[in-house]
Amino acid sequence: MRSINYLPATPVIVTGAASGIGRACAESLAQVGRPVAVWDLDAGKAGAVADAVAQEHSVKAIGLAVDVSDLDQISAGVIASREALGPIGGLVHGAGISGVATLEQLTPETWSAVLDINLRALPFIIKAILPDMKSQSGSAVVGIASINATLGNMMNPAYSASKGGVLSMSRALADELAMHGIRINSVSPGQIETPMLMQGLEAVPEVLEAFKRHILLGRLGDSAEVASAVRFLMSSEASYITAAELVVDGGNISSQRQ
Ligand code: NAP
């Protein structure tokens, strides 16, 4: 049997890490000893998460204000992360916006904002950290997609397109980067109790009950339940998994196929 080197200890960039799923991923990776670069829009919030993670888990962490829709900020963020933590060995792209707008409400500005943050940032961060990832073993990337990529939703065509793009682009990059031993996977959460979901539901509480009716496990998910799937895919426990989508939805997609 192959011996398993449980987790590479290389630093990981986590985008959108000041809140929700991104924050849970940063905490989960730090818990197993991985230094973390906490990227988010707000420097204060990113710094506070980095400080908390470093203190609780005794790892190096840095919080940085990086708007991932800005390619120059991505380049600067990678340089600052590398300077603080050393060569980067992985990425979790959790930054995202929902961009709620039906076809009639959709504007080119909303389309570009959603696609630039949710999708375009992913390949350009990977490109910026590629020399680091090539130089270390066990490098891996997880893009946070969504069950929306499969189910679609009339309220956010741009979001659905961006998440479908995460799935298909990750398979293409997995093909290109496999020769370097770099794995690229996607995690598709269902309805997870985070600020993004709960703020969207404030005006329409009845939608929450409709969501729950579709979830086999009968409840919303917790960010930590997504983060444990992400941590698995980032680890050498998942050494033979690439170009895959791991759905973490309490059985939502399955129930809608019945
Ligand atoms: P969240 O709590 O709103 O966290 C998203 C974080 O990303 C926020 O801190 C947000 O900052 C940040 N962000 C937004 N735009 C950014 C930008 N341009 N550059 C850098 N950071 C930016 O949302 P979440 O629910 O944890 O979502 C995390 C990921 O999971 C997203 O990709 C989302 O699409 C996906 N997802 C969520 C669910 C769910 O049910 N929650 C389901 C499926 C997929 P601000 O708060 O300052 O805007």
Side-chain angles (χ1 to χ4, degrees), residues 15-22 39-42 45 66-69 93-97 117-118 144-147 159 163 189-197 223:
T15 70
S19 177
I21 292 169
W39 286 17
D40 212 298
L41 285 177
D42 185 285
K45 288 183 189 167
V66 181
D67 178 344
V68 298
S69 68
H93 181 41
I97 58 171
I117 295 168
N118 295 9
I144 305 297
S146 169
I147 59 169
Y159 183 82
K163 297 304 186 176
Q191 279 86 27
I192 310 300
E193 197 168 345
T194 67
M196 178 191 280
L197 182 73
S223 294

Side-chain angles (χ1 to χ4, degrees), residues 51-218:
D51 289 348
V53 153
Q55 200 172 351
E56 190 169 348
H57 302 296
S58 304
V59 294
K60 275 191 186 175
I62 182 170
L64 295 169
V66 181
D67 178 344
V68 298
S69 68
D70 181 327
L71 299 182
D72 290 335
Q73 289 194 34
I74 287 177
S75 301
V78 167
I79 290 168
S81 302
R82 189 186 287 130
E83 270 174 16
L85 306 177
I88 307 299
L91 166 69
V92 179
H93 181 41
I97 58 171
S98 56
V100 172
T102 62
L103 182 59
E104 288 206 350
Q105 298 160 344
L106 189 60
T107 61
E109 290 74 23
T110 301
W111 178 269
S112 297
V114 173
L115 270 289
D116 286 355
I117 295 168
N118 295 9
L119 178 58
R120 188 184 69 167
L122 181 54
F124 285 99
I125 302 172
I126 294 173
K127 201 172 168 179
I129 62 173
L130 198 50
D132 298 34
M133 291 205 296
K134 279 183 184 173
S135 71
Q136 301 176 98
S137 63
S139 295
V141 172
V142 172
I144 305 297
S146 169
I147 59 169
N148 219 288
T150 299
L151 296 175
N153 184 308
M154 63 181 284
M155 292 311 298
N156 49 14
Y159 183 82
S160 302
S162 72
K163 297 304 186 176
V166 168
L167 297 181
S168 52
M169 189 202 57
S170 295
R171 289 192 286 266
L173 296 184
D175 183 23
E176 181 176 346
L177 300 181
M179 71 172 84
H180 303 292
I182 300 169
R183 299 177 300 101
I184 318 271
N185 292 294
S186 306
V187 165
S188 286
Q191 279 86 27
I192 310 300
E193 197 168 345
T194 67
M196 178 191 280
L197 182 73
M198 302 320 279
Q199 280 159 19
L201 289 176
E202 265 167 18
V204 280
E206 65 280 6
V207 174
L208 178 58
E209 290 315 308
F211 277 159
K212 286 183 184 166
R213 278 199 296 279
H214 282 303
I215 302 170
L216 294 183
L217 293 178

